[in-house]
Amino acid sequence: MYSIIGGGIGGLTTALAFEKLGIEYQLFEKAEQLIPVGSGILLPPNSLQVFEWLGILDDVSLCGSVMKQITLTKPDMTPLFDYAQEDVKEMFGFYAISIHRWELQNVLLKKIPTHKIHLGKSLDTFKQIKEKVHLTFLDGTKIETDFLLGADGIQSNIRKQLFPKSKTRYSGQTCWRGICNYEDLAEEYNYRGIEMWGEQARFGITKIEENTFYWFAVVLSPQNQKDVPNTITDILLKTFANFHPVVGKLIGATHEEKIIRSDLNDVKPMPYWYKGNICLLGDAAHATTPNMGQGGAQAIEDAYYLAKAICQESKSHAFSVFQQNRSKKVNLIVRQSLLMGIIGHWKYFVWLRNFILTYTPSSIFKIRWRSIYTLKNYESTIN
Ligand SMILES: Cc1cc2nc3c(=O)[nH]c(=O)nc-3n(C[C@H](O)[C@H](O)[C@H](O)COP(=O)(O)OP(=O)(O)OC[C@H]3O[C@@H](n4cnc5c(N)ncnc54)[C@H](O)[C@@H]3O)c2cc1C
């Protein structure tokens, strides 16, 4: 029996992958209820291939909006870099999808038998004793399991206990995310992911469903700052006053109490994600800054590779094979994403950055993106 701790994107996708391959599992989530919270999320083609394998791609597609173009611009929306996703569609069978995070979790949840999900169960401590892992939850209950999987996010309790020297790193950037209904936005914003890079501030927009847009605003900030209620909209409007007018319109159309602020952190790459019969996955193992829109996608890929390794390898080798298959790609994404965030917030040499982005042949970016979107040994049924 595998016990998955955490019912986020990684934990739920792992449960579904185990369901598909007939691996015995149960999932424990600390939240009492899984309710509609959160913001938008971009699902790139690597995550969609896993969903295709799981047979849920149509359900996910129905809830989101396709992204046919990725555009990086100056604050006034003058394009610096434009990547039409036609070749991605040709190669993988689909475009990236933007979706409300809750809609995604809901699709995943509906496919998992309810008796295998235990809500209101916050893992407190665990102990490996011989072949078993003994788990103690905050409510005082205890269980014994054969394998423990830590899908408990960037602040993973399991990682901290298993690898006390592991570290999260603050990128120096904080991010506000919002979702708003907006009807009068020009056609050019449909089916496009746009990110505007200014001096030390970035703003991104993508449609997630008809007349509904997800936006994010990133600035440099000391860590752990708290917003004063009823000031956020004004602060954001001031910070992004010199950006294209659409930015102000979207911020203004968002209910302030629904704007979410998160510091952007990652996990310093670790030599091991597993020890004995315990293994980490998703953000618990390798959280990345969100600058490449790949954190959730990497958790989703983990589910695919972990389930396959458990089926194909001996029990004692499965976790090491899983990590071998994953860590090179993930560590590169963590590094490049961090670098992208730094460059995106340059104070000086902005002209040089913009020059490079405008004149670097797009084929160079495309090669890199295609390699990130590719899953080893995966054959799409759509192509
Ligand atoms: C601002 C921002 C924007 C992002 N945008 C994107 C994007 O566009 N595309 C993308 O692919 N990724 C994006 N990401 C990254 C993405 O959100 C994460 O990589 C993804 O959520 C990781 O999934 P996970 O399941 O590993 O962790 P989480 O989603 O954090 O889930 C962890 C779960 O574990 C539960 N839990 C924690 N501790 C315990 C415990 N002790 N006992 C039981 N349960 C526990 C939590 O309640 C939670 O449900 C973004 C991240 C941020 C911060």
Side-chain angles (χ1 to χ4, degrees), residues 72-80 195-198 243 354 358:
L72 197 59
T73 75
K74 292 183 184 174
D76 63 1
M77 205 98 68
T78 312
L80 291 167
E195 193 165 325
M196 289 163 247
W197 282 12
F243 277 57
N354 292 351
T358 308

Side-chain angles (χ1 to χ4, degrees), residues 5-11 28-31 40-42 44 101 121-123 151-154 157 175 177 214 262-264 281-284 290 293-297 299:
I5 304 297
I9 296 170
F28 299 92
E29 162 59 45
K30 72 176 176 186
I41 189 164
L42 163 73
R101 201 177 266 264
K121 285 289 189 188
S122 183
L123 182 72
D152 50 344
I154 186 165
N157 189 356
C175 173
R177 286 172 284 170
Y214 159 54
S262 324
D263 282 350
L264 302 185
L281 65 107
D283 274 13
Q294 275 290 330

Side-chain angles (χ1 to χ4, degrees), residues 125-140:
T125 54
F126 59 86
K127 229 180 206 165
Q128 300 199 60
I129 302 175
K130 294 186 184 152
E131 304 287 286
K132 300 278 183 189
V133 192
H134 294 243
L135 311 182
T136 306
F137 293 89
L138 275 182
D139 61 7

Side-chain angles (χ1 to χ4, degrees), residues 175-287:
C175 173
W176 289 268
R177 286 172 284 170
I179 288 180
C180 62
N181 291 323
Y182 202 85
E183 290 189 10
D184 301 325
L185 222 52
E187 183 61 24
E188 68 199 86
Y189 301 105
N190 287 328
Y191 314 118
R192 188 187 276 261
I194 300 175
E195 193 165 325
M196 289 163 247
W197 282 12
E199 279 178 32
Q200 303 195 287
R202 293 181 279 150
F203 196 92
I205 309 170
T206 173
K207 183 172 121 176
I208 53 170
E209 58 182 88
E210 205 47 43
N211 297 328
T212 307
F213 291 84
Y214 159 54
W215 58 261
F216 55 88
V218 188
V219 301
L220 298 177
S221 163
Q223 199 172 4
N224 298 328
Q225 301 299 299
K226 292 275 174 285
D227 287 321
V228 177
N230 302 322
T231 62
I232 308 164
T233 303
D234 285 346
I235 288 173
L236 288 173
L237 286 174
K238 266 190 208 131
T239 308
F240 290 91
N242 67 341
F243 277 57
H244 190 278
V246 74
V247 171
K249 286 183 187 168
L250 292 175
I251 294 171
T254 309
H255 294 292
E256 184 171 297
E257 65 279 10
K258 295 214 169 130
I259 297 177
I260 301 170
R261 180 175 182 167
S262 324
D263 282 350
L264 302 185
N265 296 294
D266 69 10
V267 169
K268 187 176 174 203
M270 301 193 297
Y272 292 102
W273 299 346
Y274 63 93
K275 197 188 256 181
N277 36 4
I278 304 175
C279 187
L280 305 172
L281 65 107
D283 274 13
H286 49 65

Side-chain angles (χ1 to χ4, degrees), residues 24 59 78 106 229 334 363 381:
E24 236 188 302
D59 304 73
T78 312
N106 212 13
V334 170
S363 55
T381 51

